[in-house]
Amino acid sequence: MKKIIVAGSINMDLVVRCHEIPKIGETVPGKEFLTIPGGKGANQAVAIAKLGGDCTFLGKVGKDIFGQKVLASMKESQIKIEKIKEEDCSTGVAIINVDDKGKNNIIYIEGANGKIDGPYIDSVKEVLGGASILVMQNEIPQDAINYLLKLAREKNVKTLLNPAPAREIPEEVISLIDIIVPNEYELERITGVQTQTEEGIKKAAKNLFDLGIKIIIVTLGERGVFLKTDKVEKFFTAYKAEVVDTTAAGDSFIGGFCNKFVENSDLDEAINYGQKTAAIAIGRLGAQTSIPSKEEVENFKIGGWYGTYFKDE
Ligand code: RIB
């Protein structure tokens, strides 16, 4: 089986469900409060492992109860967690408000994720040997991402960056990214090109392509996915599904995508698999709690088992 490495964040999500997310200065009654294992890195790893992938995680948690709980969730999903280090600080935390339409906003406090540094990476870097792909997100320090990108290139390991939350990508590492997976807002923040229209999305993706990234995949929520390579530029229609909570939709997409991509590098197949994974996840509450198993994704039928999924084609 192909080895997948995820280097990223581990958070405990403090989730508040409410009818409407309050505006600045407003107080509203909430419906429910939950603590749910999350973190973009950990969510993507859970998706990869639940879908049957061989996934090793590089990252850090604090010596606290949240750290223990998220590690337990990751272990249960069969992620190899032996390289994760504990630090004398708090585990990363995300405060998430989810409204009745399943839309959310998130404040993220990095905690132990911010302590991923060169010495730690040096202590675990041998796991990159023989890996197919290294998957990262922006919830860990930029220096750590830069260093990992360089190591991956040296070891001939493909790299995927999910630039969430969005921030500038340093020029010296941009061409070390093989696959980038932003959503439309992140793409706009990174390139400065407006992405409300299809033309805008294409233009912004071309900017990244011209800087040396070979595969650009833009997740567009209910508008689907856009793919740009040297050979194709195309939009994929979204599966329509009932939305309970969109938290970790992008993470589920990336997990599904990676699992298929490492099998045969077929981008269309991998994107479709990622879309199915995300369509199931948005029908459920929470981050790691919403991620489907391999069996669920493979039995996903349009108009089938899991509600009324369909594609306008
Ligand atoms: O992508 C969703 C994740 O973003 C949540 O689980 C939360 O931890 C934040 O990092």
Side-chain angles (χ1 to χ4, degrees), residues 299-312:
N299 284 312
F300 178 100
K301 287 192 187 79
I302 298 179
W305 278 24
Y306 300 101
T308 46
Y309 300 103
F310 59 94
K311 255 191 169 190
D312 302 318

Side-chain angles (χ1 to χ4, degrees), residues 145-196:
I145 294 176
N146 298 351
Y147 188 32
L148 283 159
L149 283 169
K150 287 177 190 153
L151 288 172
R153 180 58 57 91
E154 272 169 38
K155 292 178 190 280
N156 217 8
V157 177
K158 281 213 158 54
T159 58
L160 181 152
L161 179 70
N162 169 220
R167 64 179 174 228
E168 207 178 307
I169 305 174
E171 236 179 275
E172 74 268 20
V173 293
I174 201 155
S175 63
L176 301 178
I177 303 165
D178 294 305
I179 307 173
I180 193 162
V181 189
N183 64 23
E184 69 264 54
Y185 309 108
E186 290 148 5
L187 181 65
E188 183 166 321
R189 287 279 301 263
I190 295 167
T191 61
V193 176
Q194 292 203 346
T195 56
Q196 286 91 332

Side-chain angles (χ1 to χ4, degrees), residues 11 13 38-40 43 94 96 106 139 247-248 251 287:
N11 297 337
D13 292 349
K40 294 184 193 301
N43 298 343
I96 306 184
I106 303 179
E139 288 185 331
T247 309
D251 300 331

